[in-house]
Amino acid sequence: MDENKTHLVFTPTSPAQLSFIERVDNVNDELVDALRIPGMQIIIYGPSGAGKTTLLINKLNQLYESQVITRCMVGMTMEQIILDGFDQLNPYFTSECVSSEKISISSDLKLSYFGLKTQIENYFQEKSQRLLPMQLTPQRLAYYFGHSNNCWVLEDFHKINEEEKIKLSQIMKVFMDSSFEFPELKIIAVGAVDSAREVVQYDPEMKQRVSEIYVPLMSDNEIAKIIYKGEELLNVSFKSSLIKRVQRFSSGLASVCHYLCLNMCTNSGIYVTADEKINLNEDDFDKAVEKYVKASSDTLKEIFDRAIKVNRVRKYNNPHIILKAILQLGKDGLTHNEILNKIQKTIPDYPAGNLTTYLKQLQHTTRGEILRYDKNAGNYSFSSPFVKAYAHCLLTNQAKKNISLDEVQIPLNELTKIFIKSFMVQFDNGK
Ligand SMILES: Nc1ncnc2c1ncn2[C@@H]1O[C@H](COP(=O)(O)OP(=O)(O)O)[C@@H](O)[C@H]1O
Ligand SMILES: [Mg+2]
């Protein structure tokens, strides 16, 4: 049996490779088709943690020679993004890098790349600002990408401001039109939002040449497949009741599944594939949850604080009202109407428009992405069951003690108990 490192099998914070599982057929096929069609631009969207990056990286590795990945951050301009793409092409144009027989870059092309690079550097020294010089046009960018056989991945493109995003549509057009010369040239924009148009607002005329791919959260079946794959790679066996628990706790987020399985293994001293099969049981699971809570309680607090932050006093404390109503309703996956009805039971004149605005905001990074919207089902849920349990715990404690939210203190061990209890209740109810 091959020896695998546990940290490379269960990867809660990086794209899975060893334990990568193929996604349901249509998602897989759509992406593979879109990657193969020359000139087809791609937008991948869906909830945070659904597995967009992992799917893309694995498919690119199977189908592509190489790719340039630009990670977008809040506040980045399109100029900065273009420069990042341009800078990352550097190795393909240096003479030392002969990456494959397929890529042959003429000395003229190298000269042109470095000429432009020097111009840009001089330009920055003069202006001391990251503004794009005129010479780096989308056409030239496409030309360098094309010649180096690269496609360009824009990760987390949803974080970019609207007015900056508009420029991408123009660049996509140029990349599309260059596909005759460079069949592999394409832009793949990835965003954690619930419609492709929120990632890139492209022109209607481009519709035929942009593939929109929705990556949903994982089904329980898919979560189980990750666990089975891990079992095989590490020669361990999770008790069947544990598989159900991990599915329940993960609620579609593979990262939670990876985290819990990783903790169960490392707690038992399994750092590489075991020589003889090792069984893992409920005790290991509880310990894993405890560790997870310890590691994530600060993050949970931060998400919650962001979600309910009020910048100025308004008639309604909207985030607070909405989260409370969702928690009181108890179940996951609530429609706009269900939430509105619940709120209006206590605040009869609460405006539907406020709910619409804040449901949108609560999915955004500025509010910790505390909620998520399931496009297929048309309903809202907490972004993870842990966030939900944490919010529940804080709000009930606050109400019970009649203090402000800032004053609520929950010791870690209590938090762990509450988590396990709240998941087990759901579990026992067979939900
Ligand atoms: N197909 C998959 N097989 C196994 N693990 C996966 C798969 N997709 C995602 N994961 C795991 O889930 C977590 C989140 O995935 P990621 O691709 O970062 O999601 P997103 O980009 O949608 O936010 C990572 O820990 C990753 O290892
Ligand atoms: Mg991602």
Side-chain angles (χ1 to χ4, degrees):
M1 183 178 281
D2 284 347
E3 190 177 272
N4 297 297
K5 291 198 168 75
T6 309
H7 282 96
L8 297 181
V9 172
F10 292 122
T11 52
T13 53
S14 59
Q17 284 185 307
L18 289 175
S19 63
F20 171 73
I21 55 133
E22 299 287 346
R23 300 302 301 270
V24 282
D25 290 348
N26 55 341
V27 181
N28 242 4
D29 296 350
E30 274 175 42
L31 179 58
V32 171
D33 285 349
L35 283 169
R36 285 200 170 124
I37 299 174
M40 183 62 89
Q41 309 300 299
I42 304 179
I43 300 174
I44 302 179
Y45 67 106
S48 187
K52 300 179 291 300
T53 305
T54 307
L55 177 65
L56 177 62
I57 298 287
N58 279 278
K59 292 293 143 193
L60 284 174
N61 286 347
Q62 288 167 11
L63 298 170
Y64 260 76
E65 193 94 356
S66 54
Q67 68 267 352
V68 165
I69 303 180
T70 296
R71 280 172 228 291
C72 304
M73 278 167 295
V74 177
M76 251 173 137
T77 62
M78 202 58 221
E79 275 83 4
Q80 288 170 320
I81 293 173
I82 292 176
L83 273 173
D84 183 80
F86 178 77
D87 285 344
Q88 286 198 54
L89 290 174
N90 199 15
Y92 298 92
F93 292 87
T94 49
S95 33
E96 308 91 72
C97 174
V98 193
S99 48
S100 83
E101 316 95 57
K102 244 179 109 187
I103 307 175
S104 69
I105 290 173
S106 69
S107 44
D108 278 358
L109 196 63
K110 282 180 191 159
L111 275 177
S112 120
Y113 179 89
F114 279 104
L116 184 52
K117 199 171 159 61
T118 316
Q119 268 181 34
I120 292 173
E121 275 157 8
N122 291 343
Y123 185 86
F124 287 148
Q125 265 165 8
E126 279 166 33
K127 307 265 172 183
S128 67
Q129 56 185 358
R130 293 289 276 179
L131 269 179
L132 202 61
M134 295 296 288
Q135 297 88 332
L136 186 49
T137 58
Q139 282 78 6
R140 280 192 88 169
L141 190 70
Y143 188 71
Y144 295 131
F145 265 96
H147 270 289
S148 59
N149 267 9
N150 270 294
C151 67
W152 191 17
V153 178
L154 302 175
E155 267 277 28
D156 289 330
F157 194 69
H158 66 285
K159 292 185 176 162
I160 304 306
N161 282 344
E162 288 310 310
E163 63 270 28
E164 291 300 317
K165 273 186 186 170
I166 293 168
K167 300 176 192 161
L168 182 66
S169 148
Q170 294 313 311
I171 302 174
M172 271 191 163
K173 221 183 250 173
V174 173
F175 271 57
M176 246 174 220
D177 294 339
S178 312
S179 69
F180 186 69
E181 196 179 351
F182 309 111
E184 296 193 12
L185 181 66
K186 60 181 77 219
I187 291 180
I188 305 166
V190 186
V193 276
D194 51 70
S195 77
R197 289 302 171 101
E198 286 169 78
V199 189
V200 187
Q201 282 244 348
Y202 58 86
D203 297 346
E205 64 184 80
M206 294 158 71
K207 200 166 183 296
Q208 299 302 323
R209 294 188 292 170
V210 178
S211 177
E212 303 180 350
I213 294 161
Y214 179 64
V215 179
L217 289 164
M218 282 198 180
S219 64
D220 279 355
N221 242 338
E222 289 173 316
I223 296 281
K225 277 192 197 157
I226 299 177
I227 307 175
Y228 298 144
K229 207 142 191 191
E231 283 184 321
E232 208 174 292
L233 290 162
L234 294 170
N235 197 21
V236 297
S237 169
F238 296 98
K239 214 172 151 183
S240 68
S241 64
L242 291 195
I243 296 179
K244 291 211 184 75
R245 287 188 194 190
V246 175
Q247 287 170 331
R248 172 70 40 219
F249 274 59
S250 307
S251 101
L253 296 169
S255 58
V256 179
C257 165
H258 280 273
Y259 200 102
L260 291 173
C261 292
L262 176 67
N263 282 354
M264 282 192 265
C265 290
T266 54
N267 277 343
S268 308
I270 306 163
Y271 292 94
V272 291
T273 308
D275 293 333
E276 273 173 42
K277 189 163 260 152
I278 300 181
N279 295 306
L280 295 157
N281 56 36
E282 281 92 354
D283 212 33
D284 299 305
F285 181 79
D286 287 355
K287 282 192 201 130
V289 173
E290 194 180 319
K291 197 162 169 186
Y292 182 85
V293 174
K294 239 185 224 158
S296 58
S297 72
D298 285 349
T299 319
L300 293 173
K301 183 172 169 12
E302 199 185 302
I303 292 174
F304 185 77
D305 288 348
R306 275 188 189 207
I308 58 158
K309 187 179 72 196
V310 274
N311 296 327
R312 60 192 167 92
V313 182
R314 294 172 192 271
K315 182 167 177 197
Y316 299 113
N317 185 342
N318 294 286
H320 193 270
I321 291 172
I322 294 169
L323 294 181
K324 204 168 114 193
I326 294 178
L327 287 168
Q328 283 171 343
L329 284 163
K331 65 170 187 155
D332 278 329
L334 294 157
T335 63
H336 184 282
N337 238 344
E338 284 174 305
I339 304 169
L340 186 63
N341 287 340
K342 179 72 193 167
I343 297 176
Q344 287 181 342
K345 280 203 178 109
T346 33
I347 314 170
D349 55 354
Y350 186 77
N354 280 31
L355 182 60
T356 311
T357 308
Y358 280 90
L359 278 177
K360 185 110 226 155
Q361 274 195 19
L362 289 165
Q363 293 171 62
H364 199 262
T365 8
T366 49
R367 291 218 178 261
E369 300 179 12
I370 196 166
L371 295 186
R372 66 181 187 221
Y373 179 69
D374 181 336
K375 193 171 106 91
N376 290 341
N379 60 32
Y380 299 87
S381 307
F382 275 90
S383 56
S384 90
F386 289 94
V387 175
K388 180 179 175 184
Y390 185 82
H392 184 71
C393 188
L394 273 194
L395 291 177
T396 35
N397 258 286
Q398 180 212 9
K400 232 188 318 188
K401 296 180 182 149
N402 201 13
I403 49 177
S404 80
L405 272 174
D406 295 339
E407 293 171 283
V408 182
Q409 299 271 352
I410 309 164
L412 276 180
N413 56 355
E414 199 176 311
L415 200 58
T416 312
K417 267 192 226 146
I418 292 167
F419 277 173
I420 294 186
K421 209 171 109 192
S422 77
F423 287 117
M424 282 332 212
V425 170
Q426 289 178 27
F427 201 59
D428 294 340
N429 290 345
K431 276 203 292 180

